[in-house]
Amino acid sequence: MSIIDTIFSYLPTKRKLTPSGWIKFNAVCCQHNGNTADTRGRGGIIKNADGISYHCFNCGHKASYQPGRHLTRKMRALLGWLGAPDDVISKLAMEALKIEADQKALEEVSLPVFEDRPLPEDSILLCESTVSEETIPAIEYIYNRGLTLDDYPFYVSPSMPDRIIVPFYFEGRLVGNIARKLSDGKPRYITNQQPGYVFNLDNQNWDRTYVIVVEGSFDAISVGGVAILGADIMDKQAMLINRLQKQVILVPDRDKDGLRTVSKAIELGWSVSMPPDWAEDIKDSNDAVRRYGKLYTINSIIQAAESYAVKIQILTNEWFKKVKEKEKDNNDNKAKHRLRL
Ligand SMILES: [Zn+2]
């Protein structure tokens, strides 16, 4: 029984309901507040969207309760005067505190808020720029990844030389970016990402009944999915993805961190796709698109989507076989190395 129902169960049996929704009865407060007892039904309690309120039109005593707030001293007093035993009142007070704590916990995992983070001022939008020495390496890079300039608003910037910039949007606003190095060298990625951000959510509005979740931004662009920008699915990211209310299909990277991503996806109740027809050296969606083309890749992801945890585990053993063997070899070598030392 809810707290409000319990409070109602202690109301006097002699009572009447007014057209405005008040339950009227002889007030139980007045004699405790230095007034004479009410005999004219001047106490009233009303239930509204927020909770309940008691009001005495004789002595002026007021008490209210809202789910998510604690049980006030005045409400506890009222309950006592209504005849509720002390242990019931204590139990209600504890219950109210618990609901309050649960609500606070819920608020803490509420949806993330992203601040505006514009690109460098001198940034050049590749699909609208002229081909120049500045833009050629980036354009080449995009084509080498099996993508075109129309697939995403890619940028370059003289203030970030030798990099291609992938802007992060959220509800139409710029909220970060990732800048990938075009030639060899480190750092490979410079990431300007806010906690909980999910890449490419803005492009999930179309008619698909599913959303494909991948690790990297180029993987996401390749298959029109979203990216968690790493191997770990954060709780706030999961909330943003679940909010799309589509079937969620994770395509893990085929490396040792990918196993961790799969475990988290199972925990979240997501489907996982590890297409059996992808060659063993294909380690992510972008590799697959480069080799098989976009349509084939998306199709194989959908076909291989599996939602049963036990089956996902079994498929994982097969799909990550080489990765696991390599891990084992590495560990064996380390062990041998230690023995030699
Ligand atoms: Zn009163």
Side-chain angles (χ1 to χ4, degrees):
M1 191 151 65
S2 76
I3 291 177
I4 289 175
D5 287 344
T6 308
I7 295 172
F8 270 69
S9 73
Y10 286 99
L11 297 186
T13 44
K14 193 170 171 259
R15 60 194 188 209
K16 67 175 192 210
L17 186 67
T18 72
S20 50
W22 286 91
I23 299 167
K24 294 284 220 169
F25 47 88
N26 281 339
V28 290
C29 40
C30 316
Q31 61 272 42
H32 303 283
N33 292 330
N35 291 58
T36 48
D38 171 35
T39 53
R40 293 187 293 143
R42 302 198 70 195
I45 198 160
I46 193 165
K47 194 173 176 180
N48 54 38
D50 293 330
I52 55 165
S53 294
Y54 172 83
H55 202 120
C56 175
F57 297 90
N58 193 34
C59 75
H61 188 86
K62 283 182 195 168
S64 61
Y65 170 69
Q66 276 187 31
R69 304 256 176 97
H70 67 278
L71 208 61
T72 62
R73 190 182 50 79
K74 283 185 163 178
M75 182 52 89
R76 293 201 309 266
L78 177 70
L79 274 163
W81 300 332
L82 282 167
D86 285 347
D87 63 316
V88 170
I89 298 173
S90 314
K91 248 177 84 184
L92 287 180
M94 294 283 286
E95 179 64 21
L97 283 178
K98 195 180 162 289
I99 294 169
E100 191 178 15
D102 287 352
Q103 283 207 358
K104 285 228 172 86
L106 254 181
E107 278 160 23
E108 272 162 28
V109 292
S110 61
L111 292 172
V113 177
F114 303 113
E115 61 180 29
D116 288 340
R117 289 195 185 170
L119 296 178
E121 269 185 25
D122 55 6
S123 296
I124 301 160
L125 179 59
L126 278 181
C127 63
E128 289 179 359
S129 72
T130 50
V131 176
S132 69
E133 254 175 68
E134 258 172 344
T135 59
I136 285 173
I139 294 170
E140 275 179 357
Y141 180 82
I142 289 166
Y143 284 99
N144 284 338
R145 297 217 48 166
L147 303 172
T148 72
L149 292 179
D150 294 327
D151 285 334
Y152 199 80
F154 299 105
Y155 284 81
V156 290
S157 159
S159 62
M160 298 185 100
D162 192 32
R163 288 185 185 275
I164 179 164
I165 303 173
V166 179
F168 292 170
Y169 295 96
F170 186 76
E171 294 174 348
R173 292 179 301 113
L174 262 169
V175 298
N177 66 78
I178 188 164
R180 207 239 187 241
K181 195 144 174 63
L182 294 171
S183 55
D184 289 338
K186 286 186 172 171
R188 201 139 58 109
Y189 292 99
I190 298 175
T191 310
N192 178 353
Q193 182 196 355
Q194 302 183 51
Y197 179 72
V198 176
F199 176 76
N200 215 27
L201 274 175
D202 280 15
N203 291 326
Q204 301 303 308
N205 308 334
W206 66 77
D207 249 8
R208 281 184 180 176
T209 54
Y210 52 86
V211 52
I212 298 172
V213 178
V214 292
E215 280 192 26
S217 52
F218 285 99
D219 299 323
I221 295 165
S222 301
V223 295
V226 300
I228 50 173
L229 303 166
D232 293 299
I233 307 163
M234 305 296 166
D235 288 342
K236 298 213 172 196
Q237 291 183 313
M239 285 175 74
L240 285 175
I241 292 167
N242 287 337
R243 200 171 61 142
L244 296 171
Q245 300 201 309
K246 293 170 186 269
Q247 184 196 354
V248 183
I249 305 173
L250 171 79
V251 183
D253 274 13
R254 193 161 7 193
D255 56 25
K256 66 182 203 323
D257 292 336
L259 287 162
R260 198 167 71 234
T261 323
V262 171
S263 302
K264 179 72 181 180
I266 292 174
E267 220 176 274
L268 289 163
W270 292 357
S271 299
V272 177
S273 179
M274 294 169 278
D277 46 347
W278 290 8
E280 234 160 6
D281 61 323
I282 303 282
K283 59 174 243 318
D284 57 39
S285 302
N286 183 242
D287 284 351
V289 166
R290 267 189 286 183
R291 187 163 311 170
Y292 308 122
K294 186 171 180 168
L295 271 180
Y296 182 92
T297 299
I298 293 175
N299 211 25
S300 59
I301 289 171
I302 310 296
Q303 293 301 322
E306 179 54 62
S307 58
Y308 292 103
V310 177
K311 269 190 141 178
I312 294 170
Q313 294 287 11
I314 294 165
L315 293 169
T316 304
N317 292 336
E318 185 55 36
W319 211 63
F320 285 93
K321 207 163 143 193
K322 277 269 151 64
V323 176
K324 285 181 169 175
E325 280 169 9
K326 211 174 139 200
E327 271 288 281
K328 196 177 168 292
D329 285 352
N330 282 344
N331 290 338
D332 288 354
N333 285 339
K334 271 183 208 156
K336 273 184 206 153
H337 189 68
R338 270 198 298 273
L339 278 178
R340 277 201 294 274
L341 284 175

